[in-house]
């Protein structure tokens, strides 16, 4: 999250989207963990309201709504109206 903080503070006005994801030791996207949610909450206030959030979690169709809810909780302070377009 240090890199996310540095990018958000240095390039905030140049960002066009944010990719919200958790990556394992093999660089594969996974479902967001509780730890990832807490980590994103630490930088959520730095994300401009108008930026699209790209959720990159690899979950089965039946888990999409739950994953969107975790993302919503991770960014709740600024993006309370996140919609799922699956």
């Amino acid at each position: 999250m240090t890199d996310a903080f540095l990018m958000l503070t240095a390039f905030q006005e140049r960002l066009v989207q944010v990719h919200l994801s958790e990556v394992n030791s093999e660089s594969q996207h996974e479902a967001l963990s509780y730890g990832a949610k807490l980590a994103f909450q630490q930088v959520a206030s730095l994300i401009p309201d108008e930026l699209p959030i790209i959720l990159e979690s690899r979950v089965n169709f039946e888990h999409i709504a739950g994953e969107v809810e975790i993302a919503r909780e991770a960014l709740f302070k600024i993006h309370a109206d996140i919609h799922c377009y699956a």
Side-chain angles (χ1 to χ4, degrees):
M1 232 9 99
T2 300
D3 288 336
F5 174 81
L6 294 172
M7 286 190 292
L8 286 166
T9 55
F11 303 110
Q12 190 177 50
E13 69 283 348
R14 296 177 58 192
L15 295 176
V16 295
Q17 62 189 8
V18 170
H19 289 244
L20 181 70
S21 65
E22 181 156 351
V23 179
N24 65 23
S25 61
E26 297 176 352
S27 298
Q28 300 286 327
H29 291 286
E30 293 187 339
L32 294 170
S33 67
Y34 181 73
K37 180 178 88 167
L38 293 178
F40 279 108
Q41 286 176 343
Q42 298 299 309
V43 298
S45 64
L46 300 173
I47 301 172
D49 291 338
E50 67 277 1
L51 285 188
I53 305 297
I54 310 300
L55 186 57
E56 298 187 286
S57 306
R58 291 174 54 190
V59 297
N60 293 329
F61 181 78
E62 61 270 9
H63 296 119
I64 291 174
E67 192 70 359
V68 169
E69 182 59 29
I70 293 169
R72 184 178 284 127
E73 292 170 1
L75 302 173
F76 75 96
K77 291 183 179 180
I78 58 163
H79 294 288
D81 191 28
I82 297 173
H83 300 283
C84 178
Y85 299 104

